């Protein structure tokens, strides 16, 4: 009798402790009915890359998982390849293996580069990561020009324009297939809003528009669902916390890391949305930093409908509160500057 009870408890326990990312990514198509899809992760041995690779290994929509980095990738690939899920894993290391890592990819996720450390500015990040992104995108244009590119490397406000210029030079640019991953801003906004509004976070949705750094991040709490009557001061505090979420983690880790785990989760969620779009799942909508005519700026984050060609539709901002309208106007000069900085860098050589 006791053994039967124990089995029952364990069964219930196991059924309620499945990681939410795995649960989210297993919805939709089953692996049996899904087409073959290759996903490449560039920077797979890094702080974001390793947990991101793990989460992509859990995704039943992935049939081939290609892991690339300048060092350490064979070990990461060997480790992850032991997990009993659908995808075949291969690890590639060094520039001479980059082409092999990319060939045939449907989606390329780029978390490569250095993370932000205490006291580091976005300019510091730019000076290192811009060159890395430039070389990786040059290879993408050569080996898998039709892949969807999910840019995680910061500063996204500049690295996405860099990628666009590199692809234009190569004659492979498709505005529908280049995405700046801003999903972490949405994840944070949902979490912080749910905590303040005291609602179940699983049912919360908050669009986040603009860019992916500081004041360029604009959560639209006036459009949050379910609705909660939060005071203006609470909305301002939630907005500030969403904008400063990365700094909050950097400081909490006391110089020993940045938002690697939550970023990996967010990156996996967005890649899953892209896979579902490619596979024809209808009405897949996520926020992303893409080429846009929503504002006068050439790139802007807003809700995007995903489909078989990448971006099917860039959705408008919808009604904004006065506070959000002020935030929108305030972010434009900084976002414009970051975009121009990326374009200038890409065209210097």
């Amino acid at each position: 009798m006791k053994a039967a009870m124990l089995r029952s408890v364990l069964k219930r326990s196991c059924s309620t402790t499945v990681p939410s990312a795995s649960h989210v990514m297993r919805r939709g198509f089953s692996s049996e009915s899904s087409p073959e899809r290759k996903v490449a992760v560039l920077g797979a041995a890094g702080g974001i890359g390793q947990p991101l690779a793990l989460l992509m290994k859990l995704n039943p929509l992935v049939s081939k998982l290609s892991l690339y980095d300048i060092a350490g990738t064979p070990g990461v690939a060997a480790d992850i390849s032991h997990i009993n899920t659908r995808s075949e894993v291969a690890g590639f290391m060094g520039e001479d293996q980059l082409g092999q890592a990319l060939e045939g990819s449907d989606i390329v996720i780029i978390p490569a580069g250095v993370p932000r450390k205490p006291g580091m500015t976005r300019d510091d990040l730019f000076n290192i990561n811009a060159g890395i992104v430039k070389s990786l995108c040059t290879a993408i244009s050569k080996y898998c020009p039709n892949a969807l590119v999910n840019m995680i490397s910061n500063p996204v406000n500049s690295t996405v324009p860099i990628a666009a210029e590199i692809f234009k030079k190569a004659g492979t640019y498709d505005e529908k297939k280049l995405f700046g991953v801003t999903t972490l801003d949405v994840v944070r906004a949902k979490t912080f809003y749910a905590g303040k509004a005291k609602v179940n976070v699983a049912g919360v949705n908050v669009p986040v528009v603009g860019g992916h750094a500081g004041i360029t991040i604009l959560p639209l709490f006036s459009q949050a669902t379910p609705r909660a009557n939060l005071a203006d001061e609470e909305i301002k505090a939630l907005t500030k916390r969403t904008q400063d979420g990365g700094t909050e983690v950097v400081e909490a880790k006391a110089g020993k890391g940045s938002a690697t785990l939550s970023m990996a989760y967010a990156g996996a969620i967005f890649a899953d949305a892209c896979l579902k779009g490619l596979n024809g799942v209808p009405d897949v909508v996520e926020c992303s930093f893409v080429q846009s005519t929503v504002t006068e700026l050439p790139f802007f984050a807003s809700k995007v409908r995903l489909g078989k060609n990448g971006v099917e539709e860039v959705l408008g901002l919808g009604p904004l509160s006065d506070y959000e309208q002020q935030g929108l106007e305030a972010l434009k000069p900084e976002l414009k500057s970051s975009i121009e900085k990326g374009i200038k860098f890409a065209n210097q050589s």
Side-chain angles (χ1 to χ4, degrees):
M1 184 71 176
K2 286 182 178 178
M5 288 176 65
L6 180 59
R7 282 197 298 271
S8 175
V9 169
L10 284 171
K11 187 175 180 182
R12 286 201 304 273
S13 174
C14 289
S15 68
T16 56
T17 55
V18 176
S20 59
S22 176
H23 174 71
V24 168
M25 291 186 286
R26 287 175 190 278
R27 291 186 305 196
F29 282 75
S30 69
S31 60
E32 288 79 10
S33 63
S34 297
E36 298 287 304
R37 297 291 183 199
K38 177 178 175 179
V39 174
V41 180
L42 308 185
I48 297 169
Q50 290 197 44
L52 176 58
L54 169 63
L55 291 170
M56 296 316 297
K57 182 70 173 93
L58 298 180
N59 191 317
L61 301 181
V62 180
S63 58
K64 288 185 178 179
L65 183 59
S66 177
L67 306 180
Y68 172 82
D69 214 318
I70 54 172
T73 343
V76 177
D79 192 357
I80 287 176
S81 71
H82 293 178
I83 296 170
N84 59 324
T85 56
R86 177 192 182 196
S87 55
E88 297 175 6
V89 182
F92 302 92
M93 184 172 73
E95 288 183 27
D96 58 328
Q97 294 187 0
L98 178 55
Q100 196 180 348
L102 290 170
E103 282 176 345
S105 295
D106 295 286
I107 297 177
V108 179
I109 312 173
I110 310 180
V114 297
R116 192 151 65 101
K117 295 174 182 174
M120 242 186 163
T121 66
R122 298 282 167 178
D123 282 344
D124 295 331
L125 276 181
F126 178 89
N127 292 333
I128 301 169
N129 291 351
I132 295 171
V133 166
K134 189 174 182 178
S135 62
L136 292 176
C137 288
T138 300
I140 290 168
S141 68
K142 182 177 180 181
Y143 294 104
C144 55
N146 295 316
L148 303 189
V149 177
N150 293 2
M151 185 67 68
I152 291 174
S153 301
N154 272 319
V156 165
N157 293 351
S158 297
T159 55
V160 169
I162 288 171
E165 292 302 306
I166 297 305
F167 296 149
K168 285 176 187 175
K169 284 184 178 182
T172 64
Y173 181 53
D174 184 344
E175 65 191 66
K176 295 180 178 180
K177 296 186 175 182
L178 176 60
F179 302 90
V181 180
T182 61
T183 314
L184 182 52
D185 301 327
V186 177
V187 166
R188 286 173 173 151
K190 288 178 178 181
T191 302
F192 302 157
Y193 176 85
K196 184 60 70 174
K198 294 179 171 54
V199 293
N200 183 354
V201 70
V204 168
N205 197 16
V206 183
V208 182
V209 303
H212 186 56
I215 67 160
T216 71
I217 300 167
L218 183 61
L220 303 182
F221 289 113
S222 70
Q223 297 179 25
T225 54
R227 293 295 302 272
N229 292 319
L230 299 180
D232 290 347
E233 288 308 309
E234 290 176 310
I235 295 293
K236 288 179 182 177
L238 285 174
T239 300
K240 186 80 165 64
R241 191 179 177 199
T242 303
Q243 292 172 339
D244 294 344
T247 302
E248 182 178 316
V249 175
V250 168
E251 291 176 351
K253 289 189 175 181
K256 295 180 180 176
S258 59
T260 51
L261 301 174
S262 52
M263 184 62 249
Y265 169 80
I269 291 296
F270 187 75
D272 179 66
C274 288
L275 285 163
K276 286 174 178 169
L278 288 175
N279 290 350
V281 176
D283 297 319
V284 178
V285 176
E286 293 286 342
C287 292
S288 182
F289 186 66
V290 297
Q291 183 172 316
S292 173
T293 56
V294 166
T295 69
E296 65 272 24
L297 300 176
F299 295 91
F300 199 80
S302 64
K303 289 194 287 187
V304 172
R305 192 182 313 282
L306 300 164
K308 292 183 177 181
N309 299 305
V311 176
E312 293 292 328
E313 183 183 8
V314 179
L315 303 174
L317 299 181
L320 305 182
S321 68
D322 290 344
Y323 175 69
E324 290 161 357
Q325 189 63 51
Q326 291 168 9
L328 175 62
E329 295 309 314
L331 72 80
K332 286 179 181 178
E334 183 167 325
L335 184 51
K336 182 173 185 285
S337 175
S338 296
I339 292 168
E340 289 174 348
K341 185 174 184 178
I343 292 171
K344 182 181 177 183
F345 175 85
N347 290 316
Q348 277 174 346
S349 59

